[in-house]
Amino acid sequence: GNSVTQMEGPVTLSEEAFLTINCTYTATGYPSLFWYVQYPGEGLQLLLKATKADDKGSNKGFEATYRKETTSFHLEKGSVQVSDSAVYFCALSKLGNEKLTFGTGTRLTIIP
Amino acid sequence: DGGITQSPKYLFRKEGQNVTLSCEQNLNHDAMYWYRQDPGQGLRLIYYSQIVNDFQKGDIAEGYSVSREKKESFPLTVTSAQKNPTAFYLCASGTGQFYEQYFGPGTRLTVT
């Protein structure tokens, strides 16, 4: 079946540090890949997506590239801010399967 | 403004009572979903619906029930049969070829 594996958290970084949150997936064919962000006490927000190999999704300074050869979709940001503190979820969907498969989430804390 | 609304944000009930959580969307999405999130945990799918008057069980449907009488609405009832109902409940709607989902702000249910 489909699965998503994220790096274990929590992750703590200083402001302006470089961020990488690893995400790898298992799925047959060509899934679509997503990153969602959840701020404390809120629902999830779609941060970015990529729907085919080598696509790069980007939003709010975050980027992730769909790497078919390594089945990965790592989230990166060049310079994090305190306001980026949140839980980040990687997810995938498959054509013909209307459910999303989520990773377990990675809690990110940015300290000033 | 298009979006998903969940009400109320906080809900308190006594053990043994059924409680219904509201979810409304004006995005004209066909699909709607209910997830449960426990502290520090990922999301678990309770029920989902692709079209009006039809829905399917997710991974943890026991003790829950839903209805989908209108495209815009997908209420979730937490019954007294649910052994551990205290949790954060998230509703989502989805559309399109890639099945991306958009989430509401969530309802935090506390049962004592």
Side-chain angles (χ1 to χ4, degrees), chain B:
Chain B
D1 258 333
I4 303 172
T5 56
Q6 291 186 244
S7 60
K9 186 149 180 76
Y10 299 96
L11 191 52
F12 299 89
R13 281 293 183 272
K14 294 291 188 186
E15 202 172 306
Q17 294 179 335
N18 292 353
V19 58
T20 297
L21 281 60
S22 165
C23 178
E24 304 277 333
Q25 56 103 356
N26 60 4
L27 299 168
N28 199 33
H29 288 171
D30 291 316
M32 296 187 75
Y33 306 81
W34 274 106
Y35 295 90
R36 170 183 172 135
Q37 188 177 32
D38 293 287
Q41 303 296 312
L43 283 76
R44 291 186 288 172
L45 182 64
I46 304 172
Y47 269 98
Y48 64 104
S49 167
Q50 297 302 301
I51 56 173
V52 172
N53 293 323
D54 189 39
F55 47 82
Q56 287 77 42
K57 293 181 179 180
D59 301 317
I60 56 163
E62 186 175 347
Y64 299 97
S65 65
V66 293
S67 62
R68 187 86 186 276
E69 297 177 2
K70 299 186 300 182
K71 187 176 185 178
E72 303 80 16
S73 178
F74 191 41
L76 173 75
T77 297
V78 184
T79 75
S80 56
Q82 167 51 233
K83 291 184 173 28
N84 297 297
T86 294
F88 189 48
Y89 290 88
L90 288 160
C91 178
S93 69
T95 190
Q97 177 183 359
F98 306 112
Y99 302 111
E100 59 199 71
Q101 294 180 18
Y102 297 87
F103 285 78
T107 292
R108 188 167 301 279
L109 173 66
T110 302
V111 177
T112 56

Side-chain angles (χ1 to χ4, degrees), chain A residues 24-25 32-33 45 53 62 71 76-77 81 95 98 101 110:
Chain A
T24 57
Y25 68 88
S32 296
L33 301 171
Q45 298 176 25
F62 291 89
T71 61
E76 297 181 335
K77 187 175 184 183
Q81 306 300 313
L95 199 61
E98 58 281 341
T101 299
I110 307 301

